[in-house]
Amino acid sequence: MKIGFIGLGIMGKPMAKNLLKAGKSVVVYDVASEPVEEVVRAGAEAAASPKDVAGGTDVIITMLPNSPHVREVLCGKDGLLEGLSAGKIVVDMSSIAPIASREMCGLVREKGCEMLDAPVSGGQEKAEKGTLAIMVGGSEPVYQKVREILDLLGKSTYVGESGAGQVTKLVNQTIVAVNIAAVAEGMAFAKKAGVDPERVFHAIRGGLAGSQCMEDKAPRMLEERYNPGFRITLHVKDLNNVLETSRNLHISMPMTSQVMEMMQNLMARGCEGMDHGALGKFYELLNDVSLKK
Ligand code: NAD
């Protein structure tokens, strides 16, 4: 089974390399030439366009920033739709809006093909190790056909029909955002109330308040270490997709909206390229306090 891979950024490049390491035959495309050259040196074949990728492969994975990029790759000039023939499978692993994902799945099905949404959680390190959490939406029998490929990238879980993978990813992004904000709020409270936030962290990390978010982000806040990691711009993109979806469905999401405002404030201060743990910085500025130990 020949695999196409489009989008060789922070996440896509190591994922494509893992497929090559597992002995798969991979055809790649990206608008940027440098990552293409690097993955070709690792054994991939380069294609001239998404259409070209679709023509020469059976399963096409996309790993792009957001809905407009996936739409461009699928529906644009020399896009995937121009190259797809019946029976091929598109697996979009980007994090995009569920409504856009469902719409694009419909366009792919009109070609006699299938499309799964399979966004991931885990970041660059897990992409490199092949240990991503993959949330899959679409036809379950189609998922079973490509499961062997997804297993090379991480642990996949089938969650429902088209768009369900993207909804699951947005749930993940909401919980992570609110959790990081809660950690920052607690650490700032401790400092202002005269207790060393680092001691507080060590005292509570093993209890109910402990979380993977706290384990990763509290030390970052205490060291003011905000290099990414997961950039604020990407999290704002995801929360935008959450809020757009929730508004369409008339769902009230007060906590997500609050954290979105905090992230917007950090963006306005030029922090968009920092790790989302920089919510600690928001609380520092809000309360005129330093979390640094
Ligand atoms: P990135 O910006 O590093 O990479 C995106 C790649 O897509 C780039 O190489 C870019 O050149 C390419 N691209 C953009 N438009 C294109 C087009 N029209 N045709 C071909 N290539 C095009 O992004 P990333 O960090 O790899 O993230 C990819 C997706 O994974 C995003 O949806 C992101 O939210 C999600 N994600 C990222 C992380 C993370 O830690 N970075 C973690 C989980 C999920």
Side-chain angles (χ1 to χ4, degrees):
M1 198 184 269
K2 213 163 175 181
I3 305 169
F5 207 109
I6 301 177
L8 303 168
I10 292 178
M11 300 294 284
K13 191 167 64 177
M15 290 163 74
K17 282 185 173 176
N18 281 338
L19 297 176
L20 290 165
K21 272 186 218 149
K24 297 289 177 193
S25 171
V26 184
V27 179
V28 296
Y29 175 76
D30 193 295
V31 284
S33 57
E34 194 203 304
V36 172
E37 284 159 18
E38 188 179 328
V39 181
V40 165
R41 279 197 296 278
E45 192 184 315
S49 65
K51 176 184 174 182
D52 205 20
V53 173
T57 57
D58 311 292
V59 174
I60 304 110
I61 296 175
T62 49
M63 192 52 168
L64 299 154
N66 200 3
S67 319
H69 309 86
V70 181
R71 200 182 296 279
E72 169 69 22
V73 162
L74 193 70
C75 314
K77 185 173 166 347
D78 293 326
L80 284 175
L81 285 179
E82 291 183 21
L84 286 177
S85 53
K88 304 206 176 196
I89 301 170
V90 178
V91 183
D92 180 32
M93 302 191 76
S94 330
S95 305
I96 71 170
I99 192 166
S101 187
R102 286 193 196 107
E103 186 197 319
M104 288 189 262
C105 176
L107 296 173
V108 169
R109 284 180 175 164
E110 280 172 17
K111 288 270 170 184
C113 301
E114 272 292 345
M115 181 167 172
L116 300 175
D117 45 300
V120 307
S121 174
Q124 184 178 3
E125 196 186 317
K126 291 196 172 176
E128 285 166 357
K129 288 186 178 154
T131 56
L132 292 164
I134 307 170
M135 308 142 223
V136 187
S139 151
E140 193 163 12
V142 173
Y143 162 57
Q144 294 303 342
K145 278 190 197 167
V146 300
R147 194 171 178 176
E148 169 240 345
I149 296 172
L150 297 179
D151 283 348
L152 301 172
L153 305 174
K155 184 189 177 312
S156 61
T157 307
Y158 178 78
V159 286
E161 292 305 318
S162 176
Q166 296 298 350
V167 169
T168 307
K169 171 69 184 178
L170 293 183
V171 171
N172 184 77
Q173 294 308 83
T174 284
I175 293 172
V176 168
V178 172
N179 200 338
I180 299 174
V183 171
E185 193 163 302
M187 293 299 137
F189 173 78
K191 187 74 180 255
K192 279 294 223 191
V195 182
D196 178 0
E198 191 179 15
R199 291 188 177 190
V200 171
F201 167 54
H202 288 297
I204 67 174
R205 63 197 289 203
L208 193 55
S211 67
Q212 278 188 41
C213 278
M214 184 185 280
E215 287 300 314
D216 185 46
K217 305 307 175 190
R220 281 174 169 276
M221 292 172 195
L222 301 175
E223 292 159 23
E224 287 183 5
R225 180 168 47 82
Y226 296 133
N227 59 309
F230 190 73
R231 286 189 187 85
I232 288 179
T233 34
L234 275 182
H235 213 145
V236 163
K237 180 263 296 184
D238 291 332
L239 295 189
N240 245 329
N241 287 335
V242 173
L243 295 173
E244 190 186 290
T245 308
S246 68
R247 279 168 193 152
N248 283 335
L249 297 171
H250 306 299
I251 300 165
S252 181
M253 306 206 58
M255 292 201 283
T256 306
S257 308
Q258 285 280 340
V259 182
M260 179 63 147
E261 285 306 308
M262 296 175 196
M263 288 190 181
Q264 292 295 348
N265 185 277
L266 289 168
M267 299 264 286
R269 294 172 187 273
C271 304
E272 64 273 8
M274 289 184 179
D275 185 76
H276 51 176
L279 282 167
K281 196 175 180 61
F282 171 83
Y283 277 92
E284 287 184 325
L285 296 164
L286 191 70
N287 294 293
D288 192 23
V289 66
S290 168
L291 294 179
K292 205 164 181 179
K293 36 183 187 186

